[in-house]
Amino acid sequence: MGNVELIGFVAASLTTAAFIPQVYKAYKTKSVENISLTMYVVFFSGIVLWFIYGVYLDSWPMILSNGITALLALMVIIFKIKYK
Amino acid sequence: MGNVELIGFVAASLTTAAFIPQVYKAYKTKSVENISLTMYVVFFSGIVLWFIYGVYLDSWPMILSNGITALLALMVIIFKIKYK
């Protein structure tokens, strides 16, 4: 892996892992009032399209990272609906 | 623009625009308790790396969308610190 690919790999890892503390916080506190449902619905839709884009480009890092991000964003949406 | 590029374009627009309702909600309500600061700090760091990755790849859609997303994520971080 070259330096540029390494930057992309770390970037993908960070933007995917970032949602774990939010999922954990929402689950732990059961408080989601300040979280924007619109944000997560629009974001989830975009991530699904990034996933499809990755499938077309045959890019497994895009498929993997967006697949995981989609699941995490979906969990925030479920908590947002469940705990409102 | 082909169909695949169109999917990428719509994907980038959605994942960037998604943060606007969260920034607006945080600004309007001045309530940010349920938002994870860790999420936004990790996410912001990742987006800055995506931006740098885009500069290396000379990809203006990556530079533009990640530049805007970085600014929106930074605004959430500022509100999170300011309104806590």
Side-chain angles (χ1 to χ4, degrees):
Chain A
M1 202 191 298
N3 281 342
V4 177
E5 284 69 32
L6 184 65
I7 293 172
F9 178 77
V10 177
S13 304
L14 290 177
T15 48
T16 294
F19 291 89
I20 296 172
Q22 182 66 77
V23 168
Y24 178 76
K25 183 168 186 153
Y27 174 75
K28 194 80 176 173
T29 63
K30 316 264 188 276
S31 298
V32 291
E33 200 190 332
N34 312 148
I35 293 171
S36 165
L37 179 61
T38 312
M39 170 191 155
Y40 278 90
V41 170
V42 175
F43 189 78
F44 176 77
S45 308
I47 290 295
V48 168
L49 288 183
W50 275 127
F51 181 88
I52 294 168
Y53 186 69
V55 171
Y56 272 113
L57 297 189
D58 210 13
S59 161
W60 67 263
M62 287 194 74
I63 294 169
L64 187 68
S65 61
N66 287 301
I68 297 170
T69 307
L71 285 178
L72 292 167
L74 188 61
M75 288 173 79
V76 175
I77 292 172
I78 290 168
F79 291 151
K80 177 70 186 173
I81 293 167
K82 198 174 169 187
Y83 301 140
K84 74 170 174 187
Chain B
M1 203 190 299
N3 281 341
V4 177
E5 284 69 32
L6 182 65
I7 293 172
F9 178 78
V10 177
S13 303
L14 289 177
T15 49
T16 294
F19 291 88
I20 296 171
Q22 183 66 78
V23 168
Y24 178 76
K25 184 170 185 151
Y27 174 75
K28 195 78 177 173
T29 63
K30 317 262 188 274
S31 299
V32 290
E33 200 190 332
N34 312 149
I35 292 171
S36 164
L37 180 60
T38 313
M39 169 190 156
Y40 278 91
V41 170
V42 175
F43 189 77
F44 176 77
S45 309
I47 290 294
V48 168
L49 288 182
W50 276 127
F51 180 90
I52 294 168
Y53 186 68
V55 171
Y56 273 113
L57 296 188
D58 210 15
S59 161
W60 68 262
M62 287 194 74
I63 294 170
L64 187 67
S65 61
N66 287 300
I68 298 170
T69 307
L71 286 178
L72 292 168
L74 188 62
M75 288 174 78
V76 174
I77 292 172
I78 291 169
F79 290 152
K80 177 71 185 173
I81 294 167
K82 196 174 169 188
Y83 300 141
K84 75 170 173 187

